[in-house]
Amino acid sequence: MMESKHIMRQLVRWRRSLHQYPEIGYEERKTARFVITELQRLGIPYEYGGVGGGIVARLRGARTEGPRVALRAELDALPIAEQTGLPFASRHSGKMHACGHDGHMAMVLGAAALLQDPLPQGDVVLIFQPAEEGGLGAQVMIDAGALAGVAMIFGGHLTNLYPTGQIMAAPGPVCAQADSFRIRVFGRGGHGARPHEATDALVASAALVGGLQTLVSREANPLDPSVVTIGTLQAGTARNVIAHEALLEGTIRTTQSETRLRLIAGMERMCRALGEAYHTRIELDLSEPYPPVINTPRETELARRAAARVVGTEQVLTYELPSMGAEDFSLYLNEVPGCFVRFGARAPNAANVPLHSPQFDFDETALLIGARYFETVVRLALAEN
């Protein structure tokens, strides 16, 4: 068994090396090369789909027959300019591991190292996927056959919402369904001094932004968590020109199918009505949704037992409410049973810096907790199947 001090040094080295060279979805060239190098050092065979693809490694267990268990980590970063001031901060301008994926990769590599002595009772599949951040990279891996022979899958996410040493695991929905939308507003441009000769797409857009906020407050059941957010609004070219076109982009997050359909219907109705009211043409486009992450009961029970062995029963928590964040881990769970947990990673007396913040960082002590959790849940799952 690898000593804790040695594996901790490795985990920190892996995480910090990955953190310095972040790459966004479907462009993870250096990141994949780093992971492949470490898999080679560990003597674990792998398959690589090339840039834009992912890595599937297979650790052979003591028994070749029987089911396989999969672990998943994400290769991609975010288009965010880092503001942490860390000595190992991003060297790629405008890109940052602001969601902990550098830590997740280190955890899964660490689990692979720990699982080599002694070997588990069956094979372990290590999935390093591209483009989790809005790119549905999980589907790329599924289409490439990453889940072939896999009986169950486990994943996790670092979070500063909870202190280091806590692990959250619960059955049922733990992440929301996410729909992305794009709204185009078409008016008729004109001189800013003569608005009666034009149709202002910007004014119609402003009304639409305000109106859409009432969907959650007046259309959705207040007991069902839901969100409608407009993230971007682009309109206009000059201060004295009436905008002839506007573009709004945003997201809908829901945990109940009925609520989702109600919000979408309300959005469609509002676009039609405001288009008429402001003499504009409004087009709404919805993208393919991310399904909700729904943990299966038996695998969650395995995850909770594994977590208790690592951090103690009192430190294993359940979710009060599902996260409104989206996760394409849901696509794996549509194919095989599994469990997605959250690792507390807020250092003592540290502020809760949220995910996707340019100041995001986490307590690296959580890396060893995550690696040992992944090792333990694999051993439990394979020993009982």
Side-chain angles (χ1 to χ4, degrees):
M1 177 71 71
M2 188 177 292
E3 293 183 2
S4 292
K5 287 184 179 179
H6 176 65
I7 188 63
M8 186 63 194
R9 285 195 298 270
Q10 280 280 65
L11 290 165
V12 170
R13 180 182 72 81
W14 287 331
R15 182 262 166 148
R16 294 186 179 186
S17 296
L18 288 162
H19 190 88
Q20 291 182 77
Y21 301 100
E23 296 169 303
I24 59 175
Y26 296 121
E27 298 178 5
E28 305 100 333
R29 178 178 281 101
K30 288 183 179 179
T31 306
R33 189 183 306 136
F34 180 91
V35 171
I36 287 170
T37 298
E38 298 308 315
L39 289 170
Q40 290 171 336
R41 286 177 179 170
L42 292 169
I44 300 174
Y46 64 89
E47 297 174 4
Y48 176 42
V51 178
I55 303 162
V56 180
R58 290 181 172 85
L59 173 64
R60 296 296 183 186
R63 292 183 293 130
T64 56
E65 73 281 357
R68 297 171 177 170
V69 173
L71 301 177
R72 176 275 217 154
E74 316 96 302
L75 297 167
D76 60 324
L78 286 155
I80 293 174
E82 182 164 352
Q83 298 175 10
T84 62
L86 292 168
F88 53 89
S90 171
R91 298 186 182 184
H92 288 174
S93 178
K95 300 175 185 178
M96 177 189 175
H97 273 297
C99 202
H101 295 184
D102 49 344
H104 304 161
M105 287 183 277
M107 288 175 174
V108 171
L109 285 170
L114 293 167
L115 285 164
Q116 291 185 306
D117 184 19
L119 290 172
Q121 292 300 302
D123 291 354
V124 185
V125 178
L126 311 172
I127 299 173
F128 297 87
Q129 73 159 75
E132 186 277 329
E133 296 289 353
L136 292 172
Q139 193 62 54
V140 172
M141 305 307 293
I142 293 168
D143 293 343
L147 295 181
V150 169
M152 62 190 81
I153 187 168
F154 297 92
H157 208 297
L158 291 157
T159 176
N160 281 336
L161 286 173
Y162 299 92
T164 304
Q166 294 183 339
I167 299 177
M168 285 61 67
V174 295
C175 289
Q177 174 146 342
D179 291 87
S180 298
F181 61 85
R182 174 177 291 186
I183 301 173
R184 290 192 178 276
V185 181
F186 299 95
R188 187 175 69 254
H191 198 293
R194 300 180 63 81
H196 60 289
E197 296 177 350
T199 303
D200 198 332
L202 181 53
V203 170
S205 298
L208 191 58
V209 171
L212 290 175
Q213 303 312 303
T214 66
L215 289 174
V216 170
S217 66
R218 289 298 177 267
E219 296 273 344
N221 185 332
L223 299 179
D224 294 337
S226 52
V227 173
V228 175
T229 292
I230 307 293
T232 68
L233 196 168
Q234 303 169 32
T237 57
R239 66 180 183 274
N240 62 342
V241 175
I242 290 176
H244 72 282
E245 185 176 341
L247 172 65
L248 301 86
E249 294 178 303
T251 184
I252 305 169
R253 306 296 173 98
T254 51
T255 58
Q256 301 291 329
S257 177
E258 180 181 352
T259 300
R260 172 180 176 265
L261 294 175
R262 187 179 178 92
L263 291 178
I264 290 173
M267 183 175 290
E268 291 170 340
R269 185 182 67 251
M270 197 167 289
C271 287
R272 289 194 303 269
L274 288 175
E276 178 72 20
Y278 286 88
H279 303 292
T280 56
R281 177 166 56 90
I282 300 179
E283 295 180 354
L284 169 64
D285 293 313
L286 288 159
S287 68
E288 182 179 356
Y290 274 64
V293 176
I294 302 176
N295 287 338
T296 49
R298 180 173 178 270
E299 288 65 34
T300 302
E301 190 270 334
L302 282 170
R304 289 181 63 81
R305 279 198 282 140
R309 292 189 184 186
V310 175
V311 297
T313 303
E314 68 285 354
Q315 294 291 79
V316 182
L317 310 179
T318 58
Y319 299 100
E320 295 179 4
L321 290 170
S323 166
M324 299 310 290
E327 242 294 346
D328 73 357
F329 193 80
S330 58
L331 300 178
Y332 299 114
L333 294 180
N334 284 350
E335 304 291 327
V336 296
C339 183
F340 185 80
V341 304
R342 294 192 183 276
F343 303 104
R346 188 178 74 243
N349 303 316
N352 174 24
V353 179
L355 299 170
H356 292 207
S357 164
Q359 290 88 34
F360 176 76
D361 189 23
F362 61 86
D363 181 1
E364 291 178 327
T365 307
L367 295 172
L368 183 58
I369 293 171
R372 291 211 176 277
Y373 161 77
F374 282 132
E375 175 206 10
T376 305
V377 77
V378 164
R379 293 191 187 278
L380 276 175
L382 288 172
E384 297 182 13
N385 280 276

